[in-house]
Amino acid sequence: MSSQKIRDLRGLGAKSEASLAKVGIHTVDDLKARGAVRAYLSVCRHAQSQGHARPSMNFLYALVGGLTERSWLEVAQTEKTHLLADLDALERLDM
């Protein structure tokens, strides 16, 4: 199992790594196992439980981009509709 740091992924840094660590995602393998959409939703729920605003959708795009070695802008342009649908479906399932 790899212990590659999340901050080493394209488009992600120390702040992203810290946000993910708060929901139990500490390595790239953890992020892959959870998946970008579930990880994003976990971070959103944690932020809201602490009285903070949800992270922007750009964070989701950056997670996908980091895992696929693409820019978050490219992900936003090519996968936005698909990712929004996945997020909506997951939120409905977890209600």
Side-chain angles (χ1 to χ4, degrees):
M1 183 176 271
S2 171
S3 61
Q4 182 182 6
K5 293 180 180 180
I6 291 166
R7 71 176 70 189
D8 295 334
L9 295 176
R10 180 177 178 170
L12 299 174
K15 185 175 176 183
S16 300
E17 190 172 70
S19 294
L20 291 166
K22 291 177 184 175
V23 296
I25 300 171
H26 302 282
T27 66
V28 173
D29 284 340
D30 293 341
L31 179 56
K32 287 178 182 176
R34 180 96 48 115
V37 176
R38 280 193 185 277
Y40 174 77
L41 186 56
S42 295
V43 171
C44 288
R45 289 183 172 160
H46 179 354
Q48 290 176 315
S49 76
Q50 300 298 307
H52 302 294
R54 287 172 68 117
S56 76
M57 289 300 296
N58 293 345
F59 184 53
L60 174 57
Y61 306 144
L63 291 174
V64 173
L67 290 173
T68 59
E69 298 182 15
R70 295 182 292 156
S71 161
W72 70 269
L73 288 169
E74 179 186 343
V75 173
Q77 292 171 348
T78 61
E79 297 186 43
K80 181 178 182 176
T81 302
H82 172 75
L83 290 169
L84 289 173
D86 286 353
L87 183 60
D88 183 59
L90 190 56
E91 285 179 316
R92 290 174 190 262
L93 283 175
D94 289 348
M95 287 185 150

